[in-house]
Amino acid sequence: MTTREKLKRMYDLLEAAFGPQHWWPGETAFEVMVGAVLTQNTNWKNVEKAIGNLKSRGLLSPEKLHAMRVGEVASLIRPAGYYNVKAKRLKNLVDWLVDEFGGDVERMSAAGLAELREKLLAVRGVGRETGDSILLYAARKPTFVVDTYTYRVLLRHALIDESAEYDEIKEMFESDLPAEVELYGEFHALLVRVGKTYCRKIPRCEECPLDVTFEDGARPVRDI
DNA sequence: GACCAGGCACATC
DNA sequence: GATGTGCATGGT
């Protein structure tokens, strides 16, 4: 089986097992951007609480956040953890959005993928995963998102080795799949879903819908 | 009480 | 370029 065939098979099995994931959770593209920063190394449930704090006070907008002090933001996003760091990162992102695009996510999304990615990654606090999440799920650009779950699932199925890096993994998906926003978004969401549930400990891994996918694929030899 | 969760920047070598 | 460290809450 080629890598391309394995990825296709993986997608088909995940889709059959779990169905549409309706990602990214969030009512607006701006909320997606905020969530992308707040979920860094953090459980999504905690992020929901933090976003809820902003939303219930009517502060979940570029204009409102732009006008707030970092300290105020920090106190509201506490449940998301790393709140001092994330308050700065969120402000950096919002200030950038206001400066570059007048706080208009639609205008931001009109920019070209390569150019926009470069600009996003220049914002302090926006790394590759956060940037790609914003590009894919907020700006609707066909760019693949790699996260710890992606890494784990691929490692489990011997599509990468332990030393594989972000860009290498991203490139693997993008060179083997058609550049479609819906496909990329759904695939990534499904990888998170399966990774969360089955991919951590060997006993669960063996119940995974992907476990029998590849005749030449590695069975797990240890916990990740 | 330990471990984990949809990273990132920065220091140091 | 590779490796180590700080950041923090809330659920299991």
Side-chain angles (χ1 to χ4, degrees), chain A residues 119-189:
Chain A
K119 286 184 175 179
L120 264 173
L121 293 184
V123 177
R124 288 335 234 164
V126 177
R128 289 175 296 188
E129 182 188 336
T130 304
D132 283 330
S133 297
I134 291 170
L135 286 165
L136 178 61
Y137 293 108
R140 312 294 293 173
K141 304 291 184 189
T143 195
F144 207 90
V145 180
V146 177
D147 62 9
T148 55
Y149 294 122
T150 314
Y151 176 83
R152 272 184 205 153
V153 175
L154 264 53
L155 184 60
R156 280 287 196 218
H157 294 273
L159 282 145
I160 57 172
D161 62 63
E162 286 186 3
S163 66
E165 292 188 7
Y166 189 98
D167 292 322
E168 184 184 339
I169 299 172
K170 176 184 175 65
E171 178 59 27
M172 195 172 122
F173 283 96
E174 294 186 353
S175 62
D176 283 341
L177 300 171
E180 295 165 7
V181 172
E182 290 302 324
L183 174 63
Y184 283 6
E186 186 64 11
F187 205 161
H188 176 245

Side-chain angles (χ1 to χ4, degrees), chain A residues 82-98:
Chain A
Y82 305 137
Y83 52 85
N84 288 312
V85 173
K86 286 178 180 175
K88 286 198 193 83
R89 292 178 180 176
L90 187 52
K91 282 283 284 178
N92 289 345
L93 179 62
V94 168
D95 293 349
W96 169 82
L97 181 66
V98 170

Side-chain angles (χ1 to χ4, degrees), chain A residues 30 34 54 59 61-68 73 90-91 94:
Chain A
F30 182 69
V34 173
L54 295 172
L59 299 173
S61 74
E63 296 73 23
K64 295 285 187 183
L65 285 171
H66 184 59
M68 288 168 69
V73 177
L90 187 52
K91 282 283 284 178
V94 168

Side-chain angles (χ1 to χ4, degrees), chain A residues 53 68-79 83-84 87:
Chain A
N53 285 343
M68 288 168 69
R69 295 172 183 278
V70 183
E72 298 178 71
V73 177
S75 67
L76 290 169
I77 65 169
R78 265 187 73 105
Y83 52 85
N84 288 312

Side-chain angles (χ1 to χ4, degrees), chain A residues 41-62:
Chain A
N41 204 38
T42 299
N43 190 302
W44 182 255
K45 282 286 177 194
N46 291 11
V47 176
E48 285 182 327
K49 293 187 175 90
I51 289 179
N53 285 343
L54 295 172
K55 210 185 259 188
S56 67
R57 290 166 178 76
L59 299 173
L60 190 60
S61 74

